[in-house]
Amino acid sequence: MIDSATSAGRRVPLLEVDDLHTWFELRQWGFRRVGTVHAVDGVSLALAHGEAVAFVGESGCGKSSLARTLLGLHRPTQGEVRFDGQALAGLGKADMKAYRAKVGYVQQDPFGALPPFLDVRRILAEPLIVHGVTDRTERERRIRAVLEEVRLGPVDEVLGKFPHMLSGGQQQRVVIARALVLEPVMIIADEPVSMLDASVRVEILDLLRRIQSERELTLVFITHDLSTVRHYAERIFVMYAGRVVESAPVDELLDHPQHPYTLALLSALSDPDADNALRLREVPGGEPPSLIHPPSGCRFHPRCPQAMAGLCDRDEPIEFTPRPGHVSACWLYQ
Amino acid sequence: MIIERLRAGWVELRRYPSALMGLGIIAGLLMLALYTVIAIPYPQALEAWRGGEAWRMHPVNAEPLWLDRLKGGDAPSTLIIEHDAEEVEETMFTGGRRLRIPLAFDFGYADFPGEMNLFLRAEDHAEAPFARLSWLTPDGRDISLGGHRLQPRHRVSISQDRELTRRLGGLAPHIGLFADPASDAVPEVLPGRYRLVLDVVVFDEQADIDATLVVYGRVHGIAGTDHQRRELSLALMWGTPVALAFGLIAAVGTTLTTLVIAAMGVWYRGWVDALIQRLTEVNMILPLLPILVMVGTLYSTSIWLMLGVVVVLGIFSAGIKTYRAMLLPIREAPYIEAARAYGASDMRIVLRYMIPRILPVLIPTFVTLIPTFVFLEASLAVLGLGDPVLPTWGKVLNDAQTQSALYNGYTYWVVAPALLLMLTGLGFAMLGFAMDRVFNPRLRNL
Ligand SMILES: Nc1ncnc2c1ncn2[C@@H]1O[C@H](COP(=O)(O)OP(=O)(O)OP(=O)(O)O)[C@@H](O)[C@H]1O
Ligand code: SF4
Ligand SMILES: [Mg+2]
């Protein structure tokens, strides 16, 4: 409880992202440049300690690229990521390694995320070994504790199993356990349930949410599924073509969407066809934007029903605050 | 982890009879190798293979005993008749002694001996003693073998004695002396007790004479002998650990280095990968055997140097391309990305996460690679570029070739090392092919 005062005192954001760009050079035969994919193209945001946020957006809008850049797996082309006030780009080898221990990563495909030739014990021991936990009994204790935490049991049995012997849900629990075993302060989960059976999705999401609140973790949660996001995140960022176009607390955003793109997403959500209702992919009409040659002005303008000729197709919208705490990058709110 | 995979593989492998047979052959070779290095220590083997005096009591180019018996022959084995001090008659005279040394033996083989030598030692004599030799046949004939003034170490090459040959009617002494006078055109052995009697005049009060008669056989041991009287079994036995070690080290050396380098290229991409690719392409057009021949001719034919060259040239072998193709998709596997995200080093990712993934697939290739290096070593030896001191299968073949073994009818000289080489190839190939089916499931249905 003494803590709350200090943590209230250090309302410094845990993670700050400043004008972040992650571009990929497309090369032919390994050297000829044939184009640049603007996967992340000017994202700025700040996440507080213990906050759970969701990123939503169509397939290919750069969500995974953003996640990987935050994890330090991609080097930003421009802009910077600051963790606890420290720019990632300025970290030395040892500090970068320490950062990797502080940020856990949960991937989309649990089977692919686990080395098929290692058993669960070894998979969970690997991060500990990498981070210098040399004492075997200490490792075993931590591995068992984390397996208990993700409710994967009976522990003795599971420890000796290989990934292919586990169900998808169990595999994802191992992935989550691996992300947690180094006691991180932040977890980045990239569509953690999209490849799982519908029956176990809610379990896994509940698990993540519970661990997040128990450990007071910062959770970055990437999803396609707007229907469940209300329960698992406090804030939502809507991404379109490498940029964040709208962000607000969950209820605010879902109940009072402002950006035409978000509106289109949500109207698709209320589609009577249940299959379409939960997915964003088919949403809204028109071509998805090219990331190699992004549309001029507002990137959504070719598909926007309210596009204003002479403005939207020429000038990039800046961020407006149509409602308190609600940020929207659209000329409608200027 | 991999152990688990291997254990499962082993269980499945046991269902293939060819795998078990291959394993049996390999186990046999390994046991032979192990026995050899324990029973005949390395320096002793090298010393012996150098040849020379140590082999003087062995026959030249003798067939294996069992082979002759198998063909229904009755060729003699070597008889070594040592002189017996008890039987020596000694008479004194002023200034010396007169010794009569009988060397008696029974000869009952149907076939004639191959050669006959008398080894005499007359050390520490003030003046060289004089010996007169006579040959007593079972039927009582007494044939003079001439007189000799003895050197301290003296050899009487009875079968080379031309004069004697002439007296025996053109028959070589080791035939004529044993021939039955009753036999006509084709000489036949007269069985019975033969005696070589030495009448020696010694000009010394004490100094002794030592006499050993060697009636060389035409068969010897399990593998026979070569033109230098050396037992082939020595080279055949020592060839086993040498061949296995060469094959194994070369296979391990080339596979591991190639694998690690391929993985590095795949992991670091960019110029590292490009450089490795180009080096591989250059290396692929470099012919291995001519380079080895060149190194062997110009430099040294030491087996270690050859091994080194084989491994070095093997590093950037065509295998890199295959491994690269196998590793490329693994590089993009999410679990590799996960490992980067928790801070695993590049080395750890390459060595612990990428390579183990393809290791099971490589084991069969690795097993079949071993005999190719064994053959390579043998080929070099046959080309005359074998290790100068080591007894190996290839060296035996090389000797057999230079001595025109097949032309002279010494088939065993060629067959034994060839058989061992084939057996090695067969053992590893049978195991390797079976393993390929187990570890490379894509092949399983072929
Ligand atoms: N390493 C890379 N090299 C080149 N292009 C890439 C790379 N990674 C991603 N891209 C491209 O960047 C764009 C954004 O990809 P990203 O995976 O970030 O999208 P996403 O929002 O996660 O999509 P999804 O919902 O399908 O996962 C895509 O066009 C993709 O092809
Ligand atoms: S800026 Fe214009 S084009 Fe873009 S979303 Fe708003 S109204 Fe539509
Ligand atoms: Mg993605």
Side-chain angles (χ1 to χ4, degrees):
Chain A
M1 288 304 103
I2 309 156
D3 252 291
S4 65
T6 36
S7 67
R10 60 175 241 252
R11 265 287 139 200
V12 183
L14 176 69
L15 187 83
E16 292 165 277
V17 175
D18 230 0
D19 191 32
L20 192 70
H21 294 69
T22 302
W23 295 352
F24 301 108
E25 300 289 356
L26 287 184
R27 286 167 198 275
Q28 207 171 20
W29 303 320
F31 54 90
R32 226 187 96 201
R33 276 174 57 172
V34 290
T36 304
V37 180
H38 304 72
V40 178
D41 207 17
V43 171
S44 300
L45 50 91
L47 305 184
H49 286 268
E51 195 182 11
V53 300
F55 283 81
V56 299
E58 292 176 293
S59 182
C61 69
K63 305 182 296 293
S64 297
S65 302
L66 175 64
R68 290 192 185 112
T69 313
L70 298 185
L71 283 158
L73 299 176
H74 290 322
R75 196 185 301 272
T77 315
Q78 197 186 311
E80 67 176 17
V81 178
R82 281 191 302 278
F83 186 80
D84 253 343
Q86 281 263 320
L88 289 195
L91 292 184
K93 221 175 161 166
D95 288 334
M96 193 62 204
K97 194 167 164 183
Y99 171 72
R100 295 191 183 288
K102 287 184 197 152
V103 185
Y105 185 26
V106 177
Q107 287 146 295
Q108 184 172 11
D109 166 16
F111 182 63
L114 298 172
F117 49 89
L118 298 184
D119 62 12
V120 172
R121 175 183 277 116
R122 185 71 201 195
I123 288 171
L124 296 180
E126 278 294 321
L128 295 171
I129 294 170
V130 165
H131 285 274
V133 182
T134 44
D135 181 20
R136 216 170 239 283
T137 48
E138 164 74 1
R139 285 205 303 255
E140 184 76 9
R141 189 188 61 71
R142 288 175 70 171
I143 291 167
R144 284 171 178 274
V146 80
L147 280 178
E148 302 277 357
E149 193 175 349
V150 298
R151 306 268 157 86
L152 189 56
V155 172
D156 284 306
E157 228 171 85
V158 168
L159 278 173
K161 289 204 169 166
F162 287 84
H164 68 268
M165 303 169 168
L166 303 172
S167 71
Q170 289 174 319
Q171 287 166 356
Q172 196 59 302
R173 282 173 202 265
V174 176
V175 172
I176 293 169
R178 179 175 63 188
L180 291 172
V181 75
L182 291 171
E183 316 280 337
V185 294
M186 181 165 98
I187 294 278
I188 296 180
D190 189 353
E191 303 192 43
V193 295
S194 68
M195 288 184 71
L196 300 181
D197 282 347
S199 55
V200 294
R201 282 185 186 163
V202 172
E203 274 175 40
I204 296 292
L205 288 172
D206 282 341
L207 176 74
L208 274 173
R209 181 67 166 154
R210 178 176 58 75
I211 291 168
Q212 186 259 329
S213 69
E214 277 173 12
R215 291 203 178 201
E216 296 179 16
L217 294 174
T218 304
L219 178 67
V220 173
F221 174 49
I222 293 170
T223 183
H224 268 128
D225 185 353
L226 262 180
S227 65
T228 52
V229 92
R230 205 189 282 267
H231 311 290
Y232 304 106
E234 291 144 22
R235 210 145 50 106
I236 299 187
F237 293 86
V238 180
M239 282 188 74
Y240 187 79
R243 306 186 125 245
V244 172
V245 293
E246 184 160 32
S247 69
V250 171
D251 295 332
E252 166 66 24
L253 188 125
L254 294 178
D255 299 340
H256 308 286
Q258 303 293 314
H259 196 282
Y261 175 61
T262 316
L263 281 166
L265 285 181
L266 289 174
S267 69
L269 198 60
S270 55
D271 194 301
D273 184 343
D275 268 349
N276 280 348
L278 299 179
R279 301 252 114 221
L280 286 179
R281 286 179 201 276
E282 308 77 7
V283 194
E287 289 273 299
S290 157
L291 292 184
I292 299 175
H293 304 290
S296 59
C298 174
R299 288 174 188 196
F300 190 51
H301 85 259
R303 297 159 84 184
C304 181
Q306 300 170 63
M308 295 167 278
L311 175 63
C312 296
D313 53 352
R314 242 191 251 153
D315 299 324
E316 235 174 278
I318 51 165
E319 289 187 338
F320 298 100
T321 312
R323 294 165 58 86
H326 195 139
V327 178
S328 189
C330 171
W331 286 124
L332 289 176
Y333 305 103
Q334 76 185 99
Chain B
M1 29 190 289
I2 316 183
I3 307 297
E4 203 65 29
R5 177 83 193 274
L6 290 181
R7 194 171 300 147
W10 165 236
V11 170
E12 201 176 328
L13 203 60
R14 278 187 306 194
R15 303 205 324 254
Y16 289 84
S18 64
L20 293 182
M21 234 161 95
L23 269 175
I25 293 173
I26 294 166
L29 289 169
L30 278 175
M31 258 144 61
L32 177 60
L34 204 67
Y35 170 79
T36 304
V37 294
I38 292 169
I40 316 169
Y42 181 72
Q44 198 178 314
L46 292 197
E47 176 61 33
W49 193 247
R50 218 184 299 150
E53 276 298 281
W55 300 101
R56 67 199 170 124
M57 307 254 180
H58 285 72
V60 176
N61 292 134
E63 230 180 17
L65 174 68
W66 56 270
L67 185 62
D68 177 67
R69 297 301 182 264
L70 209 64
K71 292 193 294 195
D74 187 25
S77 295
T78 300
L79 298 174
I80 297 175
I81 302 105
E82 306 262 5
H83 102 269
D84 184 353
E86 302 277 297
E87 310 224 323
V88 178
E89 294 166 30
E90 185 170 351
T91 48
M92 310 287 281
F93 66 92
T94 43
R97 294 172 294 156
R98 201 179 292 276
L99 303 176
R100 188 178 173 83
I101 307 172
L103 295 166
F105 62 97
D106 290 309
F107 194 84
Y109 296 103
D111 217 346
F112 290 97
E115 198 185 356
M116 198 154 61
N117 278 338
L118 177 65
F119 296 98
L120 292 157
R121 283 162 70 125
E123 281 160 350
D124 305 324
H125 285 255
E127 196 185 327
F130 189 81
R132 178 165 296 284
L133 316 179
S134 39
W135 180 258
L136 304 175
T137 58
D139 56 350
R141 283 173 295 138
D142 184 339
I143 302 166
S144 168
L145 301 188
H148 299 263
R149 189 160 290 282
L150 303 186
Q151 308 319 225
R153 282 164 168 269
H154 199 96
R155 168 202 288 233
V156 183
S157 303
I158 299 172
S159 34
Q160 312 286 314
D161 191 336
R162 301 223 168 163
E163 212 277 318
L164 180 59
T165 308
R166 197 182 45 73
R167 275 193 285 135
L168 289 169
L171 290 178
H174 55 273
I175 294 172
L177 292 176
F178 289 89
D180 187 343
S183 62
D184 12 279
V186 180
E188 272 171 38
V189 173
L190 176 69
R193 195 161 181 80
Y194 287 85
R195 234 177 302 261
L196 176 67
V197 180
L198 288 80
D199 283 303
V200 193
V201 183
V202 179
F203 308 97
D204 198 298
E205 302 284 320
Q206 282 110 38
D208 244 336
I209 299 279
D210 217 24
T212 309
L213 174 67
V214 182
V215 181
Y216 295 94
R218 290 179 179 276
V219 294
H220 185 90
I222 53 163
T225 59
D226 67 4
H227 61 303
Q228 294 188 44
R229 305 179 185 276
R230 295 177 300 193
E231 286 182 331
L232 288 177
S233 58
L234 174 69
L236 295 179
M237 283 169 75
W238 253 98
T240 318
V242 172
L244 292 182
F246 187 92
L248 197 69
I249 296 175
V252 169
T254 52
T255 310
L256 281 190
T257 46
T258 306
L259 195 53
V260 169
I261 287 175
M264 297 280 205
V266 167
W267 180 246
Y268 289 108
R269 298 205 254 217
W271 67 268
V272 179
D273 194 26
L275 182 70
I276 291 171
Q277 294 293 307
R278 294 302 89 75
L279 279 174
T280 307
E281 281 146 22
V282 169
N283 192 48
M284 268 159 73
I285 56 163
L286 291 180
L288 178 62
L289 199 59
I291 288 179
L292 287 172
V293 170
M294 216 164 71
V295 170
T297 319
L298 300 178
Y299 205 62
S300 144
T301 52
S302 152
I303 198 164
W304 302 114
L305 180 71
M306 291 296 170
L307 189 58
V309 175
V310 166
V311 171
V312 167
L313 289 179
I315 289 176
F316 290 101
S317 65
I320 285 200
K321 299 261 174 196
T322 323
Y323 301 157
R324 188 170 179 275
M326 289 159 94
L327 288 164
L328 270 176
I330 295 172
R331 183 194 201 284
E332 304 303 328
Y335 77 85
I336 299 285
E337 186 177 57
R340 283 184 67 202
Y342 62 66
S345 64
D346 290 345
M347 268 299 153
R348 193 175 190 86
I349 289 174
V350 168
L351 297 179
R352 304 298 288 268
Y353 303 146
M354 283 169 60
I355 290 178
R357 186 75 193 275
I358 63 168
L359 225 42
V361 185
L362 291 189
I363 290 171
T365 325
F366 170 75
V367 169
T368 36
L369 201 60
I370 295 174
T372 64
F373 288 117
V374 173
F375 293 158
L376 181 67
E377 189 269 329
S379 317
L380 285 173
V382 170
L383 289 175
L385 298 168
D387 188 275
V389 292
L390 271 182
T392 63
W393 299 338
K395 287 280 281 292
V396 173
L397 283 170
N398 180 234
D399 287 341
Q401 188 204 4
T402 53
Q403 300 297 314
S404 318
L406 288 177
Y407 177 74
N408 288 318
Y410 310 135
T411 335
Y412 62 92
W413 201 353
V414 178
V415 170
L419 215 59
L420 281 167
L421 280 167
M422 272 161 54
L423 210 60
T424 309
L426 194 69
F428 284 103
M430 289 207 292
L431 179 65
F433 293 153
M435 281 178 126
D436 220 6
R437 292 188 162 246
V438 173
F439 289 107
N440 279 339
R442 263 173 301 154
L443 281 178
R444 208 169 290 171
N445 301 324
L446 292 181

